[in-house]
Amino acid sequence: MKKIGMRNIKTGIAVFLATFAGYLGIVETPVYTVSVCIFSIKNTIKNSLDDSFSRIIGTLVGGLVGYLCARFLFTNIISATLGVIFIIHLCNELKIYDSSAIASVTFISICLGVGNNHPLTYSIMRTIDTLVGVIIALIVNFGVSRHKYIDHLWKSFNLAYDDCINIINSMIEGLDFSLSYKKLNEKFDSLQEYYNHLVDELPLSNESYRLNTLYSRFDRCENLIHHVHGLYLIEKKVCYSDNVLNESIYNYHKNNILKLLAENKK
């Protein structure tokens, strides 16, 4: 059985804080706050910052349109439907595409929930409920075990890197570039995923000095994959050049692989 992931734990913490905010009276309807928290927890702080910005903009847009609808129009199924269509179109026109979902949710919570409440007061409270959820998710994403998460990413990156190097070494020793080709690409896909997360995380931490190592290792592995791919194509006879040219290309890729592997041992 797999252990509980960090994103799962962070979501639980965010839900607890959102519910507790309702208990303290900070938010009036914690169900909105909790819902936003669940959808706002992200893997990296960069994703969290980008997502939080779009959600804040969307919340304000939805709150404003919701208030105008509750204040000047009848709040029913028709107005709710047309309002959502308008909000999505408005977000598209403003080029804030990622904000349309949260804007629609905020709008619907006001349009269908206002009842006999004062439109302005109710709209402000629903907007605050949603904004608090976004802020809680951002704080949890930024503050909970970021150091451990970065260490986990770095360890996973290095393991995937070593796996790629070992597979390529085996290919060179056995002069077989097709048997493990699929496995190598799968490992490189994992390496690239961890690399992208680290590129997002490290500049926002106190460990940005590791970026140079990250860049050099990924660049070396990417070049190795390129040369292995060339040998794989020759082995599969995808390149229909004459034999002399094929041999020249084969030696070019093989020599570069040997050179890169030698650099890796330094």
Side-chain angles (χ1 to χ4, degrees):
M1 183 177 180
K2 292 183 178 180
K3 65 179 183 179
I4 298 175
M6 182 51 62
R7 184 173 178 178
N8 196 343
I9 293 172
K10 289 195 293 185
T11 302
I13 294 172
V15 168
F16 170 79
L17 292 174
T19 306
F20 193 59
Y23 176 78
L24 294 177
I26 297 173
V27 296
E28 188 177 66
T29 311
V31 66
Y32 295 120
T33 310
V34 170
S35 299
V36 172
C37 282
I38 292 173
F39 289 109
S40 296
I41 295 294
K42 299 296 178 181
N43 283 326
T44 67
I45 189 62
K46 183 178 183 297
N47 288 340
S48 179
L49 286 168
D50 293 342
D51 187 73
S52 295
F53 177 76
S54 68
R55 288 183 184 277
I56 289 172
I57 297 298
T59 299
L60 296 175
V61 170
L64 176 61
V65 177
Y67 164 70
L68 294 175
C69 181
R71 176 69 177 80
F72 299 107
L73 301 174
F74 293 107
T75 52
N76 51 34
I77 296 175
I78 300 301
S79 61
T81 303
L82 295 176
V84 168
I85 293 173
F86 171 74
I87 283 176
I88 294 174
H89 178 71
L90 178 62
C91 289
N92 289 337
E93 287 294 312
L94 295 174
K95 301 187 184 306
I96 49 173
Y97 312 105
D98 293 338
S99 301
S100 60
I102 193 68
S104 299
V105 170
T106 306
F107 166 77
I108 286 295
S109 70
I110 296 170
C111 182
L112 298 183
V114 62
N116 295 322
N117 296 291
H118 190 280
L120 180 59
T121 302
Y122 191 81
S123 299
I124 291 173
M125 294 309 298
R126 292 297 73 74
T127 302
I128 290 174
D129 290 342
T130 308
L131 285 175
V132 169
V134 172
I135 292 169
I136 288 174
L138 182 60
I139 291 172
V140 171
N141 266 319
F142 190 82
V144 176
S145 297
R146 283 199 68 231
H147 180 73
K148 288 184 178 179
Y149 179 62
I150 292 174
D151 282 346
H152 163 72
L153 288 176
W154 190 252
K155 181 179 178 181
S156 300
F157 173 85
N158 285 331
L159 287 173
Y161 176 82
D162 290 340
D163 286 340
C164 288
I165 296 297
N166 291 334
I167 292 172
I168 294 170
N169 270 316
S170 297
M171 286 177 161
I172 286 290
E173 290 173 3
L175 294 178
D176 187 342
F177 298 94
S178 59
L179 186 62
S180 301
Y181 185 74
K182 181 179 179 182
K183 183 179 179 182
L184 176 62
N185 279 294
E186 289 173 351
K187 289 294 182 182
F188 183 71
D189 286 343
S190 297
L191 181 78
Q192 193 162 30
E193 181 180 354
Y194 295 127
Y195 171 80
N196 290 334
H197 285 321
L198 283 166
V199 167
D200 286 345
E201 285 290 330
L202 287 176
L204 298 171
S205 71
N206 295 324
E207 303 178 61
S208 57
Y209 63 89
R210 291 162 110 187
L211 275 170
N212 289 334
T213 303
L214 180 71
Y215 293 150
S216 64
R217 298 200 99 188
F218 183 77
D219 184 61
R220 183 181 298 120
C221 195
E222 194 172 38
N223 284 328
L224 281 166
I225 295 293
H226 163 72
H227 292 298
V228 168
H229 181 66
L231 295 179
Y232 172 79
L233 292 179
I234 293 174
E235 191 172 277
K236 286 295 183 181
K237 298 181 180 179
V238 176
C239 298
Y240 293 101
S241 307
D242 59 68
N243 291 333
V244 174
L245 182 58
N246 265 346
E247 183 179 357
S248 176
I249 295 172
Y250 183 93
N251 289 331
Y252 165 77
H253 287 303
K254 183 180 176 182
N255 289 335
N256 274 285
I257 289 174
L258 292 172
K259 180 182 177 181
L260 289 165
L261 290 175
E263 289 177 358
N264 182 63
K265 293 179 181 179
K266 294 179 181 178

